[in-house]
Amino acid sequence: MFYSILAVTPLNEDWFSTYLPVANKLVNKYGGKYLARTVNHEQLEGPEDNATIRIILEWPSREAAVDFMNDPEYKPCLELRTNGSKSFHYLVEGKDDLA
């Protein structure tokens, strides 16, 4: 499994109504599943990071996550999100390299 971990701080909400239906449809298309998409979070460690929304998605494979990001239907939505927010997106493999 792979996980997308996002920290998103919207600069405005103008893009939400266009972005969400398409993103939701495409997450499903590529076998993704939202595990968390919430403003209810707290930072326990490290330099202050005041992201408004934390999102965790589970993907069946790295390829599914990358295909989602590269889907032509998603490109304009990604542009809306990146222009309308401060966003960080990490793709994490679900394994323990230190075990």
Side-chain angles (χ1 to χ4, degrees):
M1 291 289 184
F2 279 78
Y3 300 89
S4 285
I5 313 294
L6 293 94
V8 179
T9 300
L11 303 175
N12 61 64
E13 295 182 5
D14 299 345
W15 53 277
F16 285 19
S17 63
T18 302
Y19 178 87
L20 289 171
V22 176
N24 291 342
K25 178 179 83 170
L26 294 174
V27 164
N28 187 56
K29 174 182 174 180
Y30 289 102
K33 176 183 173 186
Y34 285 100
L35 301 180
R37 184 167 38 170
T38 183
V39 298
N40 185 17
H41 54 82
E42 63 183 292
Q43 183 172 343
L44 299 177
E45 184 179 350
E48 190 171 342
D49 176 7
N50 292 321
T52 305
I53 305 168
R54 301 290 178 165
I55 302 164
I56 303 171
L57 292 114
E58 181 179 74
W59 300 101
S61 66
R62 179 187 179 282
E63 293 73 24
V66 171
D67 288 348
F68 163 79
M69 292 296 294
N70 292 327
D71 188 294
E73 191 175 358
Y74 184 63
K75 291 283 187 195
C77 291
L78 177 59
E79 186 175 315
L80 286 173
R81 181 174 59 79
T82 56
N83 289 335
S85 70
K86 179 181 171 188
S87 298
F88 297 92
H89 183 171
Y90 302 91
L91 186 61
V92 179
E93 187 173 6
K95 69 176 191 172
D96 185 352
D97 286 333
L98 302 178

XYZ file of all heavy atoms in Angstrom:
802
model
N 0.843 -1.188 0.000
C 0.000 0.000 0.000
C 0.885 1.247 0.000
O 1.992 1.235 0.513
C -0.888 0.046 1.241
C -1.962 -0.989 1.294
S -3.216 -0.611 0.079
C -4.364 -1.884 0.461
N 0.322 2.298 -0.530
C 0.955 3.613 -0.504
C -0.053 4.602 0.056
O -1.269 4.397 -0.061
C 1.389 4.030 -1.912
C 2.684 3.407 -2.326
C 2.736 2.089 -2.744
C 3.866 4.136 -2.281
C 3.928 1.507 -3.120
C 5.059 3.565 -2.645
C 5.097 2.251 -3.069
N 0.463 5.653 0.656
C -0.377 6.647 1.304
C 0.012 8.038 0.838
O 1.192 8.381 0.832
C -0.246 6.548 2.830
C -0.671 5.198 3.325
C 0.234 4.145 3.413
C -2.003 4.951 3.651
C -0.165 2.884 3.822
C -2.400 3.692 4.061
C -1.480 2.668 4.152
O -1.882 1.420 4.542
N -0.982 8.821 0.452
C -0.782 10.239 0.203
C -1.073 10.967 1.496
O -2.124 10.754 2.116
C -1.735 10.753 -0.886
O -1.322 10.337 -2.163
N -0.127 11.802 1.897
C -0.271 12.622 3.091
C -0.224 14.069 2.613
O 0.775 14.491 2.020
C 0.870 12.368 4.101
C 1.120 10.874 4.318
C 0.621 13.135 5.395
C 0.005 10.125 4.979
N -1.297 14.804 2.844
C -1.357 16.191 2.391
C -1.617 17.134 3.555
O -2.362 16.804 4.482
C -2.466 16.393 1.360
C -2.277 15.704 0.018
C -2.958 14.355 -0.003
C -2.796 16.573 -1.093
N -0.987 18.304 3.459
C -1.255 19.427 4.348
C -1.701 20.570 3.442
O -0.945 21.001 2.567
C 0.000 19.808 5.129
N -2.931 21.026 3.619
C -3.510 22.023 2.716
C -4.044 23.194 3.519
O -4.821 23.007 4.466
C -4.648 21.400 1.870
C -5.260 22.437 0.941
C -4.146 20.197 1.088
N -3.626 24.387 3.132
C -4.176 25.609 3.707
C -4.788 26.411 2.565
O -4.057 26.996 1.753
C -3.085 26.440 4.418
O -2.530 25.646 5.465
C -3.661 27.716 5.002
N -6.120 26.405 2.443
C -6.765 27.156 1.364
C -6.509 28.658 1.502
O -6.545 29.202 2.609
C -8.251 26.849 1.553
C -8.286 25.578 2.340
C -7.082 25.646 3.235
N -6.238 29.293 0.376
C -6.129 30.751 0.336
C -7.506 31.359 0.110
O -7.739 32.522 0.434
C -5.160 31.168 -0.771
C -3.751 30.574 -0.666
C -2.921 30.949 -1.884
C -3.088 31.022 0.620
N -8.387 30.551 -0.470
C -9.798 30.902 -0.656
C -10.532 29.580 -0.891
O -9.907 28.539 -1.053
C -9.992 31.880 -1.821
C -9.530 31.295 -3.133
O -10.090 30.305 -3.617
N -8.510 31.891 -3.728
N -11.844 29.635 -0.901
C -12.637 28.421 -1.103
C -13.307 28.394 -2.477
O -14.140 27.535 -2.731
C -13.676 28.284 0.011
C -13.045 28.083 1.379
C -14.066 27.889 2.493
O -15.278 27.807 2.207
O -13.627 27.828 3.654
N -12.926 29.287 -3.348
C -13.551 29.399 -4.669
C -13.415 28.118 -5.489
O -14.268 27.823 -6.323
C -12.936 30.560 -5.459
C -13.129 31.905 -4.777
O -13.968 32.005 -3.859
O -12.421 32.857 -5.168
N -12.373 27.373 -5.290
C -12.064 26.194 -6.092
C -12.718 24.917 -5.570
O -12.763 23.917 -6.272
C -10.550 26.012 -6.198
C -9.823 25.993 -4.892
C -9.408 27.081 -4.173
C -9.424 24.855 -4.133
N -8.775 26.684 -3.016
C -8.770 25.322 -2.971
C -9.554 23.488 -4.321
C -8.253 24.464 -2.006
C -9.034 22.634 -3.359
C -8.388 23.129 -2.221
N -13.223 24.928 -4.343
C -13.764 23.713 -3.719
C -14.857 23.052 -4.553
O -14.849 21.847 -4.757
C -14.334 24.005 -2.330
C -13.324 24.210 -1.237
C -12.005 24.520 -1.492
C -13.718 24.103 0.071
C -11.084 24.705 -0.481
C -12.813 24.294 1.111
C -11.493 24.595 0.827
N -15.827 23.830 -5.023
C -16.991 23.245 -5.696
C -16.630 22.608 -7.037
O -17.309 21.684 -7.490
C -18.089 24.291 -5.887
O -17.638 25.330 -6.728
N -15.576 23.065 -7.669
C -15.110 22.454 -8.908
C -14.182 21.284 -8.613
O -14.278 20.219 -9.238
C -14.366 23.496 -9.774
O -15.244 24.584 -10.039
C -13.878 22.890 -11.079
N -13.300 21.456 -7.647
C -12.266 20.466 -7.346
C -12.822 19.175 -6.735
O -12.480 18.078 -7.182
C -11.239 21.085 -6.388
C -10.161 20.136 -5.969
C -9.016 19.979 -6.730
C -10.284 19.367 -4.815
C -8.027 19.088 -6.363
C -9.300 18.470 -4.434
C -8.172 18.340 -5.222
O -7.206 17.456 -4.854
N -13.630 19.295 -5.700
C -14.027 18.123 -4.923
C -14.750 17.039 -5.713
O -14.389 15.861 -5.589
C -14.841 18.548 -3.697
C -14.034 19.255 -2.611
C -14.959 19.822 -1.537
C -12.991 18.336 -2.001
N -15.752 17.344 -6.534
C -16.427 16.263 -7.267
C -15.489 15.496 -8.204
O -15.553 14.266 -8.293
C -17.526 16.969 -8.056
C -17.736 18.269 -7.376
C -16.412 18.636 -6.772
N -14.605 16.205 -8.875
C -13.684 15.547 -9.809
C -12.650 14.732 -9.043
O -12.388 13.570 -9.365
C -13.006 16.584 -10.732
C -11.969 15.915 -11.630
C -14.046 17.312 -11.570
N -12.052 15.328 -8.005
C -11.054 14.606 -7.215
C -11.664 13.359 -6.586
O -11.064 12.283 -6.627
C -10.465 15.524 -6.146
N -12.841 13.482 -6.017
C -13.497 12.324 -5.394
C -13.727 11.205 -6.403
O -13.474 10.030 -6.120
C -14.825 12.732 -4.762
C -14.653 13.617 -3.561
O -13.586 13.698 -2.964
N -15.717 14.321 -3.201
N -14.213 11.566 -7.584
C -14.474 10.569 -8.635
C -13.183 9.865 -9.050
O -13.136 8.639 -9.191
C -15.126 11.247 -9.843
C -15.391 10.303 -11.004
C -16.047 11.012 -12.166
C -14.986 11.705 -12.987
N -15.465 12.236 -14.266
N -12.106 10.638 -9.214
C -10.850 10.066 -9.692
C -10.123 9.269 -8.608
O -9.464 8.271 -8.910
C -9.952 11.152 -10.271
C -10.495 11.798 -11.551
C -9.620 12.958 -11.987
C -10.634 10.772 -12.659
N -10.237 9.686 -7.360
C -9.674 8.880 -6.271
C -10.299 7.488 -6.326
O -9.608 6.469 -6.263
C -9.897 9.552 -4.899
C -9.682 8.574 -3.756
C -8.985 10.765 -4.736
N -11.606 7.440 -6.470
C -12.320 6.166 -6.571
C -11.890 5.377 -7.816
O -11.654 4.167 -7.752
C -13.827 6.411 -6.579
C -14.614 5.135 -6.505
O -14.430 4.340 -5.586
N -15.498 4.929 -7.470
N -11.759 6.053 -8.943
C -11.363 5.408 -10.199
C -10.032 4.674 -10.055
O -9.853 3.585 -10.605
C -11.254 6.458 -11.309
C -10.712 5.938 -12.622
C -10.600 7.059 -13.648
C -9.930 6.578 -14.929
N -9.824 7.661 -15.922
N -9.100 5.250 -9.307
C -7.765 4.663 -9.164
C -7.625 3.805 -7.904
O -6.523 3.431 -7.526
C -6.698 5.764 -9.212
C -6.582 6.329 -10.610
C -7.169 7.549 -10.939
C -5.936 5.620 -11.613
C -7.097 8.052 -12.232
C -5.862 6.116 -12.907
C -6.435 7.327 -13.208
O -6.365 7.818 -14.491
N -8.747 3.489 -7.277
C -8.723 2.578 -6.134
C -8.291 3.219 -4.841
O -7.964 2.528 -3.876
N -8.281 4.551 -4.804
C -7.903 5.259 -3.586
C -9.042 5.302 -2.586
O -10.211 5.100 -2.939
N -8.673 5.557 -1.350
C -9.661 5.642 -0.276
C -9.217 6.725 0.704
O -8.072 6.713 1.161
C -9.745 4.295 0.445
C -10.668 4.278 1.632
C -10.622 2.906 2.308
C -11.402 2.930 3.597
N -11.261 1.668 4.331
N -10.125 7.658 1.001
C -9.831 8.669 2.009
C -9.876 8.027 3.393
O -10.888 7.461 3.779
C -10.849 9.817 1.962
C -10.646 10.744 0.797
C -11.422 10.634 -0.352
C -9.674 11.738 0.845
C -11.231 11.487 -1.433
C -9.484 12.605 -0.224
C -10.265 12.471 -1.357
O -10.076 13.324 -2.417
N -8.772 8.101 4.115
C -8.742 7.628 5.501
C -9.009 8.783 6.452
O -9.553 8.585 7.531
C -7.393 6.985 5.816
C -7.012 5.786 4.951
C -5.646 5.254 5.369
C -8.062 4.691 5.030
N -8.597 9.982 6.042
C -8.863 11.197 6.831
C -8.856 12.382 5.877
O -8.042 12.453 4.958
C -7.806 11.385 7.910
N -9.795 13.291 6.113
C -9.866 14.559 5.379
C -10.548 15.511 6.341
O -11.769 15.610 6.377
C -10.656 14.357 4.086
C -10.706 15.560 3.212
C -11.205 15.298 1.817
N -12.282 14.328 1.692
C -12.963 14.121 0.579
N -12.687 14.803 -0.513
N -13.923 13.219 0.536
N -9.721 16.211 7.150
C -10.282 16.883 8.304
C -9.532 18.150 8.697
O -8.335 18.279 8.429
C -10.305 15.905 9.509
O -10.917 16.539 10.626
C -8.902 15.454 9.889
N -10.262 19.041 9.336
C -9.651 20.218 9.963
C -9.385 19.939 11.442
O -8.812 20.765 12.138
C -10.537 21.475 9.800
C -10.702 21.824 8.327
C -11.890 21.299 10.469
N -9.789 18.763 11.918
C -9.620 18.383 13.321
C -8.313 17.595 13.475
O -8.282 16.389 13.300
C -10.818 17.557 13.790
C -10.754 17.240 15.259
O -10.014 17.857 16.006
N -11.524 16.255 15.679
N -7.232 18.306 13.786
C -5.921 17.684 13.964
C -5.096 18.566 14.887
O -5.406 19.734 15.097
C -5.213 17.493 12.611
C -5.109 18.745 11.800
N -4.132 19.687 12.009
C -5.885 19.209 10.794
C -4.299 20.689 11.162
N -5.366 20.417 10.412
N -4.055 17.990 15.441
C -3.151 18.776 16.271
C -1.721 18.323 16.039
O -1.456 17.157 15.762
C -3.509 18.659 17.753
C -3.381 17.272 18.334
C -3.810 17.202 19.789
O -3.118 17.780 20.637
O -4.846 16.569 20.040
N -0.818 19.268 16.131
C 0.593 18.979 15.947
C 1.195 18.595 17.287
O 1.010 19.281 18.285
C 1.301 20.206 15.374
C 2.746 19.963 15.079
C 3.380 21.112 14.329
O 2.696 21.946 13.764
N 4.698 21.146 14.327
N 1.922 17.503 17.317
C 2.512 17.013 18.555
C 4.014 17.257 18.637
O 4.591 17.134 19.718
C 2.234 15.514 18.715
C 0.758 15.121 18.784
C 0.615 13.610 18.874
C 0.064 15.799 19.960
N 4.648 17.579 17.511
C 6.098 17.702 17.508
C 6.562 18.550 16.336
O 5.884 18.635 15.325
C 6.710 16.293 17.390
C 8.207 16.249 17.477
C 8.754 14.834 17.366
O 7.975 13.861 17.402
O 9.963 14.722 17.221
N 7.734 19.162 16.474
C 8.402 19.862 15.384
C 8.026 21.323 15.259
O 7.161 21.821 15.980
N 8.701 22.003 14.316
C 8.402 23.413 14.074
C 6.935 23.585 13.669
O 6.370 22.735 12.984
C 9.315 23.788 12.909
C 10.390 22.753 12.900
C 9.774 21.500 13.457
N 6.370 24.677 14.089
C 4.936 24.907 13.868
C 4.573 24.843 12.386
O 5.211 25.452 11.540
C 4.544 26.273 14.434
C 3.064 26.494 14.471
C 2.688 27.750 15.242
O 3.513 28.258 16.011
O 1.549 28.194 15.065
N 3.547 24.088 12.086
C 2.997 23.933 10.742
C 1.493 24.081 10.871
O 0.820 23.198 11.375
C 3.363 22.560 10.170
C 2.739 22.299 8.812
O 2.119 23.211 8.234
O 2.866 21.171 8.339
N 0.985 25.208 10.426
C -0.423 25.540 10.654
C -1.346 25.169 9.506
O -2.283 25.897 9.214
C -0.553 27.038 10.943
C 0.057 27.402 12.263
O -0.061 26.660 13.229
N 0.737 28.539 12.323
N -1.111 24.070 8.837
C -2.009 23.672 7.752
C -3.438 23.548 8.272
O -3.668 23.052 9.376
C -1.560 22.354 7.138
N -4.384 23.993 7.477
C -5.791 23.970 7.864
C -6.396 22.579 7.759
O -7.123 22.139 8.641
C -6.586 24.945 6.969
O -5.988 26.236 7.062
C -8.032 25.022 7.390
N -6.098 21.884 6.660
C -6.708 20.581 6.375
C -5.600 19.531 6.265
O -4.584 19.760 5.606
C -7.501 20.619 5.050
C -8.543 21.736 5.075
C -8.155 19.266 4.772
C -9.157 22.039 3.723
N -5.811 18.395 6.907
C -4.906 17.247 6.765
C -5.681 16.151 6.044
O -6.837 15.869 6.377
C -4.435 16.725 8.124
C -3.714 17.739 8.961
C -2.364 18.078 8.388
N -1.746 19.098 9.227
C -0.490 19.415 9.194
N 0.328 18.803 8.359
N -0.012 20.361 9.964
N -5.021 15.543 5.074
C -5.663 14.518 4.252
C -4.747 13.306 4.185
O -3.543 13.451 3.961
C -5.936 15.050 2.827
C -6.815 16.301 2.891
C -6.574 13.962 1.955
C -6.835 17.114 1.624
N -5.318 12.137 4.385
C -4.597 10.880 4.220
C -5.422 10.004 3.289
O -6.592 9.745 3.552
C -4.375 10.160 5.557
C -3.623 11.066 6.538
C -3.620 8.844 5.341
C -3.545 10.515 7.953
N -4.795 9.594 2.193
C -5.428 8.674 1.241
C -4.613 7.394 1.182
O -3.390 7.425 1.235
C -5.458 9.266 -0.168
C -6.352 10.459 -0.386
C -5.517 11.664 -0.693
C -7.272 10.162 -1.536
N -5.312 6.288 1.035
C -4.669 4.994 0.849
C -4.799 4.608 -0.621
O -5.879 4.732 -1.200
C -5.356 3.955 1.722
C -4.752 2.572 1.631
C -5.484 1.608 2.541
O -6.630 1.226 2.189
O -4.939 1.276 3.607
N -3.698 4.155 -1.207
C -3.677 3.720 -2.600
C -3.253 2.262 -2.668
O -2.407 1.833 -1.889
C -2.673 4.554 -3.409
C -2.970 6.010 -3.434
C -2.358 6.983 -2.685
C -3.939 6.682 -4.223
N -2.890 8.209 -2.979
C -3.863 8.056 -3.922
C -4.870 6.249 -5.171
C -4.680 8.993 -4.527
C -5.685 7.197 -5.773
C -5.589 8.546 -5.454
N -3.768 1.512 -3.640
C -3.372 0.109 -3.754
C -1.934 -0.065 -4.248
O -1.331 -1.112 -4.037
C -4.373 -0.472 -4.761
C -4.868 0.702 -5.532
C -4.815 1.870 -4.594
N -1.385 0.971 -4.897
C -0.027 0.889 -5.434
C 0.503 2.302 -5.679
O -0.271 3.265 -5.724
C -0.011 0.109 -6.754
O -0.725 0.834 -7.742
N 1.815 2.395 -5.871
C 2.423 3.672 -6.235
C 1.866 4.129 -7.581
O 1.578 5.307 -7.785
C 3.942 3.532 -6.311
C 4.634 4.814 -6.710
C 6.143 4.629 -6.950
N 6.730 5.894 -7.342
C 6.646 6.429 -8.562
N 5.977 5.803 -9.520
N 7.207 7.594 -8.833
N 1.726 3.184 -8.496
C 1.250 3.502 -9.836
C -0.146 4.119 -9.802
O -0.439 5.049 -10.558
C 1.244 2.255 -10.723
C 2.616 1.708 -11.048
C 3.315 0.993 -9.885
O 2.632 0.489 -8.951
O 4.560 0.959 -9.880
N -1.011 3.625 -8.934
C -2.365 4.178 -8.823
C -2.315 5.638 -8.394
O -3.023 6.486 -8.949
C -3.196 3.353 -7.841
N -1.469 5.947 -7.416
C -1.345 7.331 -6.936
C -0.788 8.239 -8.028
O -1.297 9.348 -8.256
C -0.458 7.376 -5.696
N 0.238 7.776 -8.711
C 0.851 8.575 -9.775
C -0.107 8.732 -10.954
O -0.230 9.825 -11.527
C 2.197 7.949 -10.204
C 2.754 8.623 -11.446
C 3.198 8.026 -9.053
N -0.814 7.672 -11.295
C -1.795 7.756 -12.387
C -2.907 8.749 -12.042
O -3.371 9.493 -12.920
C -2.382 6.386 -12.705
C -1.389 5.469 -13.401
O -0.317 5.947 -13.842
O -1.677 4.261 -13.486
N -3.340 8.757 -10.790
C -4.327 9.745 -10.348
C -3.797 11.155 -10.583
O -4.468 12.003 -11.167
C -4.661 9.532 -8.869
C -5.340 10.706 -8.229
C -6.683 10.941 -8.424
C -4.625 11.585 -7.426
C -7.316 12.028 -7.833
C -5.242 12.676 -6.832
C -6.590 12.898 -7.037
N -2.579 11.415 -10.110
C -1.999 12.751 -10.237
C -1.816 13.164 -11.695
O -1.897 14.345 -12.016
C -0.652 12.820 -9.510
C -0.747 12.727 -8.010
S -1.642 14.109 -7.253
C -0.543 15.475 -7.608
N -1.564 12.191 -12.566
C -1.310 12.480 -13.982
C -2.543 12.368 -14.872
O -2.442 12.590 -16.079
C -0.213 11.551 -14.511
C 1.131 11.870 -13.893
O 1.440 13.021 -13.595
N 1.941 10.841 -13.686
N -3.689 12.040 -14.295
C -4.907 11.904 -15.093
C -5.234 13.253 -15.755
O -5.258 14.282 -15.077
C -6.067 11.455 -14.202
C -7.296 11.106 -15.008
O -7.889 12.020 -15.636
O -7.682 9.920 -15.000
N -5.471 13.258 -17.063
C -5.784 14.518 -17.750
C -6.987 15.251 -17.164
O -7.039 16.482 -17.192
C -6.057 14.089 -19.195
C -5.418 12.760 -19.351
C -5.424 12.123 -17.983
N -7.954 14.499 -16.639
C -9.129 15.143 -16.036
C -8.770 15.836 -14.719
O -9.438 16.786 -14.310
C -10.231 14.099 -15.806
C -11.561 14.708 -15.429
C -12.678 13.686 -15.328
O -12.453 12.482 -15.576
O -13.801 14.100 -14.981
N -7.713 15.355 -14.053
C -7.310 15.941 -12.772
C -6.434 17.184 -12.946
O -6.409 18.043 -12.075
C -6.580 14.905 -11.914
C -6.227 15.406 -10.537
C -7.222 15.770 -9.636
C -4.907 15.536 -10.134
C -6.912 16.242 -8.371
C -4.582 15.999 -8.870
C -5.586 16.357 -7.997
O -5.282 16.835 -6.752
N -5.715 17.289 -14.037
C -4.759 18.386 -14.238
C -5.362 19.770 -13.948
O -4.770 20.543 -13.205
C -4.166 18.343 -15.647
C -3.250 17.185 -15.893
C -1.904 17.408 -15.264
C -0.961 16.292 -15.691
N 0.216 16.232 -14.882
N -6.536 20.127 -14.527
C -7.077 21.458 -14.227
C -7.473 21.610 -12.759
O -7.374 22.704 -12.186
C -8.299 21.593 -15.135
C -8.480 20.304 -15.835
C -7.337 19.412 -15.511
N -7.881 20.520 -12.125
C -8.240 20.582 -10.702
C -7.004 20.757 -9.839
O -7.022 21.512 -8.853
C -8.987 19.316 -10.296
S -10.612 19.217 -11.050
N -5.934 20.079 -10.196
C -4.680 20.246 -9.474
C -4.215 21.693 -9.564
O -3.775 22.274 -8.569
C -3.613 19.301 -10.028
C -2.227 19.412 -9.403
C -2.272 19.144 -7.902
C -1.267 18.456 -10.096
N -4.349 22.270 -10.726
C -3.980 23.679 -10.896
C -4.836 24.579 -10.012
O -4.322 25.513 -9.391
C -4.111 24.079 -12.373
C -3.607 25.465 -12.652
C -3.629 25.798 -14.129
O -3.198 24.947 -14.935
O -4.082 26.910 -14.470
N -6.138 24.298 -9.938
C -7.016 25.072 -9.053
C -6.562 24.966 -7.601
O -6.498 25.959 -6.880
C -8.463 24.582 -9.164
C -9.234 24.941 -10.420
C -10.586 24.222 -10.422
C -9.434 26.444 -10.516
N -6.245 23.725 -7.166
C -5.831 23.523 -5.776
C -4.501 24.201 -5.485
O -4.343 24.869 -4.465
C -5.747 22.038 -5.423
C -5.334 21.813 -3.970
C -5.376 20.367 -3.532
N -4.558 19.458 -4.277
C -3.231 19.307 -4.122
N -2.570 20.046 -3.272
N -2.577 18.416 -4.837
N -3.542 24.044 -6.377
C -2.226 24.628 -6.112
C -2.254 26.155 -6.185
O -1.505 26.811 -5.460
C -1.144 24.049 -7.054
O -1.532 24.234 -8.398
C -0.917 22.576 -6.782
N -3.109 26.713 -7.029
C -3.240 28.170 -7.082
C -4.101 28.716 -5.954
O -3.945 29.874 -5.563
C -3.817 28.612 -8.420
C -2.842 28.433 -9.555
O -1.632 28.417 -9.359
N -3.359 28.280 -10.758
N -5.008 27.887 -5.432
C -5.936 28.348 -4.400
C -5.571 27.925 -2.993
O -6.363 28.110 -2.067
N -4.366 27.372 -2.826
C -3.973 26.920 -1.493
C -2.457 26.821 -1.391
O -1.743 26.853 -2.398
C -4.576 25.535 -1.195
O -3.960 24.549 -2.001
N -2.016 26.682 -0.183
C -0.636 26.287 0.096
C -0.725 24.799 0.417
O -1.380 24.414 1.387
C -0.093 27.072 1.288
C 1.308 26.716 1.668
C 1.749 27.527 2.885
C 3.071 27.016 3.404
N 3.409 27.656 4.683
N -0.123 23.961 -0.433
C -0.303 22.518 -0.305
C 1.033 21.793 -0.332
O 1.936 22.165 -1.085
C -1.153 21.981 -1.463
O -2.431 22.548 -1.466
N 1.109 20.753 0.473
C 2.236 19.831 0.456
C 1.666 18.428 0.340
O 0.729 18.080 1.048
C 3.072 19.952 1.735
C 3.689 21.312 1.893
C 3.037 22.308 2.589
C 4.916 21.599 1.309
C 3.589 23.572 2.726
C 5.481 22.855 1.426
C 4.817 23.846 2.134
N 2.234 17.622 -0.560
C 1.732 16.275 -0.825
C 2.919 15.320 -0.812
O 3.868 15.483 -1.569
C 1.042 16.250 -2.187
C 0.418 14.939 -2.544
N -0.379 14.786 -3.636
C 0.456 13.711 -1.968
C -0.797 13.533 -3.729
N -0.293 12.859 -2.723
N 2.842 14.336 0.060
C 3.887 13.319 0.166
C 3.264 11.969 -0.156
O 2.152 11.678 0.267
C 4.456 13.266 1.590
C 5.018 14.586 2.046
C 4.222 15.503 2.721
C 6.338 14.924 1.779
C 4.731 16.720 3.130
C 6.851 16.141 2.191
C 6.041 17.041 2.863
O 6.546 18.247 3.269
N 4.001 11.147 -0.886
C 3.579 9.770 -1.143
C 4.495 8.871 -0.333
O 5.721 8.910 -0.477
C 3.671 9.440 -2.639
C 3.128 8.087 -3.052
C 1.637 7.966 -2.713
C 3.342 7.855 -4.543
N 3.890 8.063 0.541
C 4.631 7.241 1.496
C 4.292 5.781 1.284
O 3.108 5.415 1.246
C 4.275 7.653 2.954
C 5.005 6.792 3.954
C 4.544 9.130 3.181
N 5.317 4.949 1.156
C 5.091 3.515 1.053
C 4.780 2.971 2.432
O 5.447 3.309 3.414
C 6.309 2.803 0.470
C 6.046 1.337 0.200
C 7.190 0.641 -0.534
O 8.244 1.271 -0.745
O 7.004 -0.539 -0.891
N 3.762 2.111 2.504
C 3.343 1.522 3.782
C 4.228 0.349 4.180
O 3.814 -0.802 4.065
N 5.452 0.662 4.603
C 6.364 -0.379 5.066
C 7.302 0.213 6.102
O 7.417 1.424 6.225
C 7.153 -0.998 3.907
C 8.164 -0.074 3.273
C 8.957 -0.823 2.207
C 10.163 0.014 1.758
N 11.031 -0.742 0.879
N 7.950 -0.645 6.846
C 8.872 -0.213 7.897
C 10.295 -0.571 7.496
O 10.711 -1.717 7.635
C 8.487 -0.886 9.232
C 9.330 -0.396 10.390
O 10.315 0.350 10.160
O 9.017 -0.763 11.528
N 11.025 0.417 6.971
C 12.406 0.195 6.553
C 13.369 0.066 7.744
O 14.526 -0.306 7.546
C 12.890 1.342 5.662
C 12.291 1.301 4.272
O 11.935 0.205 3.805
O 12.187 2.373 3.639
N 12.908 0.396 8.935
C 13.782 0.363 10.101
C 13.546 -0.836 11.000
O 14.151 -0.954 12.069
C 13.634 1.652 10.908
C 13.942 2.940 10.121
C 13.727 4.153 10.998
C 15.335 2.932 9.532
N 12.659 -1.727 10.581
C 12.354 -2.901 11.393
C 13.498 -3.890 11.358
O 14.230 -3.996 10.436
C 11.075 -3.572 10.909
